[in-house]
Amino acid sequence: MPTIALVAVRSDRAPALRELVGVPATKAPLAAGLIEEPRTIRVAAARGREAAELACLLLRPAAAAGPLPVALLLTGSGAQDRDEDAVGAGGIKLGLLRAIASALGTAGVASLRCDDRGIGASTGEFGAATLPTFIADAQAAVASLRRERGLDPRRVILVGHSEGGVVAAAVAAADPRVAGVALLAAPGRPVDEVLLAQVAHTLAKGGLTDAEAAAALARHQATFAAIRAGQPLPDTAEADEWAGGEAWLRSHMRHDGLAAVRALACPLWIAQGAIDQQVTPVDAAALAAAARAGAAPVVERSFPSLDHAFVVSATGDVAEYATP
């Protein structure tokens, strides 16, 4: 369970399973002609936020001439490294941001991707981070890219996947110098609506009766209502799932993501896996409607047979993530 740094071993089964466990996930090589250079992004401390140093990789074409456009790639929710993979044994390792960086580099676009604060080689405490923390981290990265030799400070774009899309829109809404935004499977509803829809989807597959599923969903609704109101969590077992993440959840509940999208003036690209079961096409439609209510030129694309991680899937269900 990499998000809480826990590894459990059944010692009686370990010899028979030794060849199956602990095998590091292999990642596709980068496209030819690209180079990666380490970078460190320093984020200053502020009220409610500790200082951090983000360990990053700047990818660019080796033979590039002239200032390059550059994309800042932003991870989704959960503790993830620069490739948007879980760190340590277990977890999902699809290398989505690495694949995007490689493709952008082939097209002549540089990119920066970073380990989340407190994850991988980055300092700071991930568990204490809220949405404003991640926004500040992204803003520090944008400022660093604008100072980077060989990059065009007028052509910095933001590419955010899932929660990273919320961060990208918020940063660009506050910074008119951002040249473009791409939202990949980004939520277009409040975080509790998205999570409750995910819970309802899971409960519907769990073999419960309608009454049992309704009762379980009501318990989750009560938990989110308490978090939104800043009250203690209800004394139910289901509340344990969210315990410790109240500050992060509340920061999302207080953020109006659609207002940020409406405030954009730069070109906006919205991409959605058509069978995504975590952030659904309903969210992409809400984002597109908000963008068209503002001034941003917007392109919306839906990709058949792709799930939340933009991987080909039979159902789009989370259960398929481990065997893409």
Side-chain angles (χ1 to χ4, degrees), residues 212-227:
E212 289 169 336
L217 186 61
R219 289 193 291 269
H220 282 87
Q221 290 171 328
T223 296
F224 285 127
I227 292 173

Side-chain angles (χ1 to χ4, degrees), residues 98-126:
R98 177 183 168 92
I100 292 173
S102 181
L104 288 173
T106 300
V109 179
S111 63
L112 184 77
R113 62 193 199 277
C114 306
D115 294 340
D116 290 344
R117 59 166 53 217
I119 304 303
S122 291
T123 67
E125 184 183 352
F126 179 83

Side-chain angles (χ1 to χ4, degrees), residues 4 127 220 223-224 227 231-234 236-250:
I4 58 173
H220 282 87
T223 296
F224 285 127
I227 292 173
Q231 299 174 346
L233 297 184
T236 59
E238 284 75 14
D240 292 344
E241 182 178 353
W242 313 110
E246 296 97 325
W248 173 79
L249 284 165
R250 198 175 299 116

